Amino acid sequence: MKTVQINRPVYNDQTIQTFVKPNNDLRLRWQYRMKHKWSRYCKKWSWTDQLRKWFPIATWLLQFDYRRHFLTEVLAGVTIAFINIPQGMAFATLIHLPAYYGLYVAFFPVIIYILMGSCHHQSWGGFGVTAIMTGDVVVKLVNSNLLEDTTDKECLMTTSMTTTSTMTTTSSPEPIGPYPVDVAITIALMAGIIQCVMGFLNMGFVSVYLSKSFIQALTTGAAFQVATSQVTRLLGVTFTRPSEPLAFFESWIGIFKSLPDINWATVILSIVGLVLLVTMTLVNRKWKRQLPVPIPMDMIVVIVLTLISHFLEVDDNYCVAVVGKVETGIPHLRLPSPSLFPDLLANSFAVALVTFAVDISLGKTIAERHDYKIDENQELLASGFANSISSFFLCYVSGPSLSRIWILEKAGGRSQITSAINCVVVLIMILALGRYFEPLPKAALAVVLIFSLKEMFYQLRHLPSLYQKSRWDFLVWVVTFSAVIILGVAEGLFLSLVFSFFVLVLRVQFPGYKLEGKINGSELFLDQESYKVDVSPKCIVFHMETSLCYLNAAKFKARLMDHLMSFRMQDLEKLDSNDQEELVTTTASHTAGDIGGEVNRNTDKEVETNGASISVKNSQLQPATEEGTPSQQGVGIRGRVVLINCSSFSFVDLDGAGVLAAVINECKMEDAKVLLAGCSESVRKILLASGHFDALTDIFYPSLVDAYTSQF
């Protein structure tokens, strides 16, 4: 076993300066650093460098090895296009838009991301989580008659529900209000603008406030919401989706009530599509090494069910809902509605935040696997411009997709050239081949959509292990998931963010408190309860496992005083009966003085030793007894040293500094000494600047072992 042996003097913060001189270099001052950084920025700034930063394609496109990897990129790009097309069409139906709008989302925003994205493996296009968020807003703001004009027009069996719906539709006046496309493109524009502003302000650091548990729970809850909204298409029934909150549960109640009216032809097509997807998934998994690229399952299902629908004419013969008319060609520009800005601001912010969070989460994961880094601020700009510019081309909010990234990586994609090939294939669909999707059953899109979310459903597997690893993260996961299910994605997002910050505050306010002991023959100190360590009767080592601030200052002092009081009780138990009687008599004659900042405890404690009962006042630490009484020597903390392990203090505020000073004063009145060990330079400066430690500069030690050794 390797050993470490260090032979040096014991340092405190005064003696260490005789060995290491402080660095007073002017260049270390923040004013100089800011000025120097600004001058360097002004000298080196150029439009060329800035354009290269905004458009990373100018760098990686020239460095790409075309001879070795171009063919693989083409195959991966075609595969991604065959995934992106049906997913985009399926997500469009979530927003109550014509399915072919999904083709636009698989083309226009992808072009912008190719130019500006910093993640080489990111696959941009339709995004289910933001699609369901946008769809919820559409349901709230758009007239229900307009929703019926753009969603399922199914030939259902005559029931009381459908009859009522038909009567309402035919007798209602011309619908007034925004169309679904107006709401969708306005949200895309506003979310894009929000992301651009955040990117220009270098607010990419916001991603650190969204924990992995939070993002997983949010996406899992949204996946359940998306799947629930598509069950009606799988069964061939229809009813107006209820509004939040509790829409998830009301939707399932409506689904069960509609079971007698299901369209069995639609159900059979859904089962066929699901069987094909499961079979091809197993094939991809079993022969993944033999296959050059994964089988594009989604596109095969779309093609097969489209052919079945075309030759059997399921829409006319079996009343199966199909995509219907598909317009070919580049769409005409459409301006978003400024009148909707006030109503959509909060939802747009939520959509922008979710898109950015998932983009960074997936981007960092894939970048770490391939040994490169992404730029959070550049990702904000890429996502922002992709959504804002494409909104004028009838595009709803776009984003990344876990399933597409996984397939792209398995197909051997290495750069955004795969996305460029995707755009070529999608453009062909938009210009010429899109009309061949008119017989496509909407149940096929629902099957593709739900199956694409399987990775999000699988995240439930991690809950047991998450519970074992961290109860706090488990709590955040459960609350976030529950909020999304009960309140909806947007409302659940904001509530979960508030709860996450609340949990963070609780963890700072109620940290762990430990009494530590030294490992024999070592400089390490560990928890006395968890390990068998040496506990010196002279030194009390106290450790709080977080920073000291106003949130936990009072609790810090209370717990420390509780531990010191326990030492007093232990010493009392060791006295013989004569000393106990003398101690009680002497203690009763003393009056507790005001020593500032005391922890008030109004209860008394009784200690029974050798048949005698001693009442000890538990309101504060009692004053030291007279030295002439031998029985009182060493009772409590008199003559002891309290070492406060400050290594966990990343910062200390003025309230924390005041509490530390109060503890030092109270222990001083007990004739005990307090030492602060392991303070960082920033913490020591704050304590000295607080004004409480002007005459106490000799209590600081650079490490716990220095403070401990100095007392022996």
Side-chain angles (χ1 to χ4, degrees):
M1 179 183 294
K2 295 182 179 180
T3 60
V4 177
Q5 185 174 1
I6 301 175
N7 187 10
R8 64 169 177 82
V10 174
Y11 296 144
N12 62 18
D13 279 15
Q14 291 179 329
T15 59
I16 197 173
Q17 296 184 11
T18 62
F19 297 92
V20 181
K21 299 298 181 182
N23 193 348
N24 296 320
D25 192 342
L26 177 65
R27 290 175 295 180
L28 296 179
R29 298 182 183 178
W30 69 270
Q31 299 95 330
Y32 177 85
R33 292 200 302 268
M34 292 295 295
K35 182 179 179 181
H36 182 63
K37 185 176 181 180
W38 177 253
S39 62
R40 288 182 59 189
Y41 176 79
C42 293
K43 289 180 181 179
K44 290 188 175 183
W45 191 91
S46 66
W47 276 109
T48 304
D49 294 338
Q50 190 61 49
L51 289 175
R52 286 179 179 174
K53 182 179 179 181
W54 285 343
F55 299 96
I57 188 174
T59 301
W60 63 259
L61 191 62
L62 299 177
Q63 299 174 352
F64 187 76
D65 190 346
Y66 293 92
R67 291 185 178 180
R68 294 180 57 188
H69 305 303
F70 184 72
L71 181 59
T72 305
E73 295 290 291
V74 172
L75 293 176
V78 173
T79 304
I80 291 301
F82 287 162
I83 304 299
N84 212 349
I85 290 171
Q87 284 189 1
M89 298 174 70
F91 294 146
T93 61
L94 280 177
I95 313 175
H96 306 280
L97 298 175
Y100 64 86
Y101 277 41
L103 299 176
Y104 306 150
V105 178
F107 177 73
F108 291 105
V110 179
I111 293 177
I112 305 300
Y113 189 84
I114 292 172
L115 299 175
M116 302 187 66
S118 65
C119 182
H120 306 325
H121 296 78
Q122 196 69 279
S123 179
W124 213 256
F127 183 32
V129 177
T130 54
I132 190 65
M133 295 173 69
T134 305
D136 289 340
V137 181
V138 168
V139 171
K140 293 177 182 178
L141 298 182
V142 177
N143 189 290
S144 60
N145 294 329
L146 293 176
L147 292 179
E148 292 172 357
D149 289 340
T150 55
T151 55
D152 299 340
K153 288 187 175 181
E154 298 172 290
C155 175
L156 299 176
M157 292 181 291
T158 305
T159 61
S160 59
M161 178 186 303
T162 54
T163 303
T164 305
S165 175
T166 304
M167 293 176 57
T168 304
T169 304
T170 55
S171 62
S172 61
E174 184 69 19
I176 300 175
Y179 286 85
V181 64
D182 294 322
V183 177
I185 65 176
T186 303
I187 290 179
L189 175 64
M190 295 181 66
I193 292 175
I194 291 172
Q195 289 176 329
C196 288
V197 172
M198 293 174 64
F200 284 122
L201 295 178
N202 292 332
M203 296 182 65
F205 65 88
V206 173
S207 62
V208 303
Y209 295 113
L210 306 177
S211 65
K212 185 177 180 180
S213 300
F214 173 84
I215 295 176
Q216 285 185 349
L218 179 70
T219 53
T220 304
F224 275 91
Q225 291 277 18
V226 171
T228 299
S229 68
Q230 294 302 297
V231 172
T232 56
R233 297 190 189 279
L234 297 179
L235 301 178
V237 298
T238 183
F239 59 86
T240 303
R241 175 178 168 84
S243 58
E244 304 292 352
L246 301 178
F248 178 84
F249 304 101
E250 293 179 6
S251 295
W252 279 104
I253 293 174
I255 290 170
F256 284 113
K257 288 182 178 179
S258 302
L259 287 180
D261 304 324
I262 62 176
N263 187 314
W264 288 105
T266 303
V267 173
I268 292 174
L269 289 174
S270 301
I271 294 174
V272 171
L274 183 61
V275 170
L276 287 174
L277 287 172
V278 172
T279 302
M280 287 183 286
T281 299
L282 296 177
V283 171
N284 278 335
R285 185 178 303 170
K286 187 173 183 179
W287 285 286
K288 60 181 178 181
R289 295 184 179 179
Q290 288 79 11
L291 294 172
V293 294
I295 299 174
M297 305 175 296
D298 297 357
M299 197 64 184
I300 291 177
V301 169
V302 167
I303 293 174
V304 170
L305 294 185
T306 300
L307 292 175
I308 293 175
S309 174
H310 173 71
F311 288 109
L312 297 182
E313 297 182 354
V314 295
D315 54 335
D316 295 329
N317 296 331
Y318 303 101
C319 302
V320 175
V322 297
V323 168
K325 183 179 179 181
V326 175
E327 296 183 4
T328 56
I330 301 297
H332 297 291
L333 294 179
R334 185 176 183 126
L335 296 178
S337 303
S339 60
L340 295 175
F341 285 1
D343 297 328
L344 300 179
L345 181 59
N347 296 97
S348 300
F349 181 79
V351 167
L353 191 61
V354 170
T355 305
F356 172 62
V358 176
D359 178 22
I360 294 300
S361 176
L362 296 179
K364 284 185 175 180
T365 302
I366 194 71
E368 289 176 0
R369 285 208 295 262
H370 293 272
D371 196 24
Y372 67 92
K373 295 182 179 181
I374 65 172
D375 186 341
E376 291 90 345
N377 296 317
Q378 185 60 33
E379 285 297 303
L380 273 171
L381 293 176
S383 178
F385 278 104
N387 282 312
S388 57
I389 294 176
S390 64
S391 66
F392 296 97
F393 296 92
L394 306 182
C395 292
Y396 56 86
V397 177
S398 58
S401 168
L402 178 60
S403 61
R404 292 197 302 267
I405 291 177
W406 180 83
I407 293 175
L408 185 148
E409 188 179 18
K410 296 298 181 183
R414 297 173 179 270
S415 69
Q416 287 298 321
I417 292 178
T418 56
S419 297
I421 302 300
N422 162 87
C423 291
V424 174
V425 176
V426 174
L427 182 61
I428 295 174
M429 292 288 179
I430 293 175
L431 296 178
L433 303 181
R435 64 178 183 271
Y436 294 108
F437 287 117
E438 291 181 355
L440 172 64
K442 290 187 176 181
L445 296 177
V447 171
V448 168
L449 195 157
I450 294 175
F451 200 78
S452 69
L453 301 173
K454 62 182 182 299
E455 296 297 332
M456 296 184 183
F457 297 137
Y458 287 163
Q459 293 177 147
L460 289 170
R461 300 178 300 180
H462 305 304
L463 272 182
S465 61
L466 183 63
Y467 180 80
Q468 297 295 331
K469 294 175 182 178
S470 173
R471 306 291 174 85
W472 289 109
D473 288 336
F474 176 81
L475 184 61
V476 169
W477 204 105
V478 172
V479 171
T480 302
F481 177 80
S482 303
V484 171
I485 291 295
I486 296 173
L487 302 178
V489 181
E491 293 80 359
L493 168 68
F494 290 116
L495 177 63
S496 303
L497 277 177
V498 173
F499 181 78
S500 297
F501 285 112
F502 178 68
V503 168
L504 185 62
V505 170
L506 286 181
R507 298 183 72 171
V508 174
Q509 188 172 2
F510 301 101
Y513 300 91
K514 296 179 179 179
L515 287 178
E516 297 182 330
K518 186 174 180 294
I519 299 179
N520 222 349
S522 170
E523 81 287 359
L524 301 178
F525 290 78
L526 297 176
D527 180 23
Q528 295 181 15
E529 295 183 357
S530 303
Y531 301 93
K532 295 181 179 180
V533 292
D534 287 342
V535 180
S536 171
K538 184 177 181 181
C539 293
I540 303 171
V541 183
F542 182 74
H543 185 195
M544 183 179 73
E545 298 175 323
T546 190
S547 297
L548 182 61
C549 60
Y550 69 96
L551 290 173
N552 53 31
K555 188 70 174 178
F556 168 82
K557 182 181 177 184
R559 292 299 295 270
L560 176 57
M561 292 303 178
D562 283 341
H563 285 302
L564 297 183
M565 182 60 68
S566 68
F567 281 95
R568 172 184 289 277
M569 307 299 288
Q570 294 173 9
D571 288 341
L572 287 174
E573 292 175 358
K574 296 177 183 179
L575 297 178
D576 57 33
S577 58
N578 294 330
D579 291 336
Q580 291 168 6
E581 294 176 0
E582 184 178 358
L583 174 63
V584 172
T585 304
T586 307
T587 304
S589 64
H590 284 281
T591 303
D594 183 12
I595 53 179
E598 298 90 340
V599 179
N600 293 324
R601 302 180 188 85
N602 297 323
T603 59
D604 296 343
K605 293 184 179 179
E606 289 190 355
V607 179
E608 293 187 1
T609 55
N610 299 328
S613 177
I614 302 176
S615 177
V616 181
K617 200 70 175 177
N618 196 22
S619 59
Q620 62 184 25
L621 293 179
Q622 298 298 327
T625 57
E626 298 177 1
E627 297 184 7
T629 309
S631 62
Q632 297 172 41
Q633 296 283 352
V635 175
I637 62 171
R638 181 183 176 88
R640 286 178 170 169
V641 178
V642 180
L643 302 183
I644 299 179
N645 187 349
C646 304
S647 59
S648 297
F649 294 177
S650 59
F651 70 93
V652 174
D653 63 5
L654 293 180
D655 289 343
V659 164
L660 278 178
V663 168
I664 293 173
N665 289 334
E666 293 189 23
C667 291
K668 185 177 180 180
M669 296 189 67
E670 282 280 346
D671 198 17
K673 190 176 183 180
V674 176
L675 302 180
L676 306 181
C679 293
S680 64
E681 184 65 18
S682 60
V683 169
R684 193 177 69 88
K685 287 182 178 179
I686 293 175
L687 294 178
L688 294 177
S690 67
H692 299 295
F693 298 85
D694 295 338
L696 301 173
T697 56
D698 59 337
I699 67 172
F700 295 97
Y701 284 81
S703 69
L704 195 57
V705 68
D706 285 296
Y708 186 86
T709 309
S710 67
Q711 305 305 310
F712 294 95

